[in-house]
Amino acid sequence: MEKKNIDWASIGFGYMPTDKRYVSLYKDGAWDQGALVDDPNIVLNECACVLQYAQTCFEGLKAYTTEDGRTVCFRPDLNAERMYDTAKRLEMPPFPKDRFVEAVKQVIKANEAWVPPYGSGATLYLRPYMFGSNAVIGVKPADEYQFRILTTPVGPYFKGGVKPITLCVSDFDRAAPHGTGHIKAGLNYAMSLHPIVEAHKAGFDENMYLDAATRTKVEETGGANFLFVTKDNKVVTPKSNSILPSITRRSLMVVAKEYLGLEVEEREVYFDEVKDFAECGLCGTAAVISPVGKIVDHGKEICFPSGMTEMGPTISKLRDTLTGIQMGKIEGPEGWIVEI
Ligand SMILES: Cc1ncc(COP(=O)(O)O)c(C=O)c1O
């Protein structure tokens, strides 16, 4: 497969239209058979439910070229499952899980020339999404929907090496206890735009959100789950019903236990205990793990012993092992790597 003539090492984390996108339409109570199309634009009625009442959700995953030249993607069945759960919560007709995985494979195959070569640091990012498309003026779910997958090549998340980031404890809430924090609804991200703009203005990289009910427990950031390492090398991740079940975080917990032989714990994490951890990282598809060097709580600084120049040793091992699995250098658990 001849790759596109792109300077892969210099592309950023942005949108670049590729040759094909997948579309399936829902009408009269059923999804159509779906197709790959050329046009990256969508024409919608001015009163489409997605435009008026934000009835939309999405997923994110990547396709990679392995060291031996295969094109693969990582655990698409979990994205299918999460989108299924999201759609149900938003009163949208869930897209069948097996068809989701099939569509992922089809769209990667059709854009294989856009899957960056091994070693470039870049990957092909897939964005499955779904929205209510017909005109709705009274507040109710749409009757017609589009399920789509767009793809775009994205550069290495960390250009010029991985640098620890600084977070601030947000005064805003990300999710209510019985709200939509556990699903990947567009509305969660719309409401996080103001807090992130404010955090950036104040010189921080990201927000740490606490639980809305008591403001004592760690939830997540606007786009990643937390993972902490204790001083005796145990891997701890917050348990909450109002955070997104990150596929990267769930995979890293398996890697920690099964590959690195570490003790792992998924439990409520109180903000008061954060100062006692040795390492902190943010897990998500985009960056795998971003090390956190510092958290600032209204002027009070928590500085992790791993510091502001390098990734801590355990987070570094976790990252190397998971990226090794994704790039085909280390044998992954059954079903994690799906070949195209
Ligand atoms: C709010 C939020 N939490 C966590 C994650 C990480 O999830 P995943 O590892 O499935 O990409 C994401 C990104 O998808 C996110 O948007």
Side-chain angles (χ1 to χ4, degrees):
M1 162 61 55
E2 195 168 329
K3 297 290 178 189
K4 296 281 170 184
N5 185 19
I6 291 174
D7 179 9
W8 300 106
S10 73
I11 58 174
F13 202 87
Y15 168 71
M16 188 190 295
T18 60
D19 296 337
K20 300 283 181 188
R21 58 276 305 131
Y22 180 90
V23 187
S24 178
L25 304 177
Y26 182 91
K27 201 176 172 178
D28 300 327
W31 287 105
D32 72 8
Q33 64 182 25
L36 292 165
V37 301
D38 295 331
D39 192 352
N41 298 299
I42 299 170
V43 176
L44 280 178
N45 183 272
E46 62 189 350
C47 208
C49 194
V50 57
L51 299 178
Q52 304 307 327
Y53 302 124
Q55 196 186 21
T56 181
C57 63
F58 65 100
E59 273 300 326
L61 70 159
K62 285 172 168 179
Y64 319 79
T65 306
T66 60
E67 198 168 17
D68 59 357
R70 291 171 298 136
T71 302
V72 300
C73 65
F74 185 68
R75 309 190 78 181
D77 53 317
L78 295 190
N79 294 99
E81 198 175 295
R82 195 166 64 186
M83 197 170 198
Y84 195 95
D85 295 341
T86 298
K88 282 201 296 192
R89 176 65 175 80
L90 295 178
E91 287 296 335
M92 302 170 105
F95 196 69
K97 293 178 212 170
D98 53 340
R99 285 197 57 196
F100 179 105
V101 174
E102 240 355 271
V104 161
K105 288 184 186 166
Q106 263 189 46
V107 81
I108 297 172
K109 188 85 203 146
N111 293 294
E112 209 166 0
W114 296 89
V115 182
Y118 175 79
S120 64
T123 53
L124 186 72
Y125 183 74
L126 275 74
R127 169 56 60 89
Y129 59 110
M130 196 198 284
F131 54 89
S133 55
N134 65 298
V136 165
I137 194 76
V139 180
K140 64 173 181 131
D143 305 302
E144 294 175 16
Y145 294 85
Q146 296 197 16
F147 168 81
R148 288 177 165 258
I149 307 179
L150 68 83
T151 66
T152 183
V154 291
Y157 202 77
F158 299 111
K159 276 209 167 134
V162 184
K163 256 193 85 190
I165 58 172
T166 304
L167 312 182
C168 69
V169 176
S170 183
D171 284 327
F172 296 98
D173 293 325
R174 180 184 172 274
H178 304 283
T180 55
H182 60 300
I183 59 165
K184 212 159 165 64
L187 60 94
N188 292 339
Y189 299 83
M191 75 85 226
S192 76
L193 297 177
H194 177 61
I196 193 64
V197 168
E198 291 293 306
H200 287 165
K201 267 195 226 155
F204 300 106
D205 297 297
E206 255 294 358
N207 282 303
M208 169 186 261
Y209 291 106
L210 301 180
D211 75 294
T214 71
R215 300 197 139 259
T216 58
K217 288 175 271 187
V218 175
E219 291 265 287
E220 59 176 330
T221 69
N225 283 177
F226 278 100
L227 202 145
F228 298 100
V229 182
T230 64
K231 288 185 176 136
D232 57 359
N233 220 18
K234 193 187 292 174
V235 179
V236 179
T237 192
K239 188 181 172 84
S240 160
N241 292 332
S242 46
I243 64 174
L244 193 77
S246 157
I247 294 164
T248 315
R249 183 257 299 166
R250 286 183 272 163
S251 306
L252 285 165
M253 294 301 271
V254 175
V255 165
K257 189 162 179 248
E258 308 293 334
Y259 285 70
L260 304 181
L262 301 174
E263 208 176 313
V264 297
E265 254 179 18
E266 187 184 356
R267 61 165 169 86
E268 291 186 329
V269 173
Y270 284 86
F271 181 69
D272 277 351
E273 51 177 320
V274 169
K275 62 178 184 336
D276 300 324
F277 289 119
E279 296 176 50
C280 173
L282 300 179
C283 338
T285 296
V288 182
I289 312 187
S290 326
V292 176
K294 196 196 293 187
I295 300 174
V296 182
D297 176 25
H298 301 90
K300 233 173 63 198
E301 294 191 349
I302 296 173
C303 298
F304 293 102
S306 49
M308 288 305 292
T309 51
E310 278 177 37
M311 210 182 251
T314 299
I315 282 185
S316 180
K317 267 187 231 147
L318 283 166
R319 183 170 207 277
D320 289 348
T321 311
L322 186 58
T323 52
I325 292 172
Q326 289 170 334
M327 295 295 171
K329 286 198 281 193
I330 299 171
E331 175 87 24
E334 167 124 29
W336 280 25
I337 299 299
V338 172
E339 203 162 321
I340 305 307

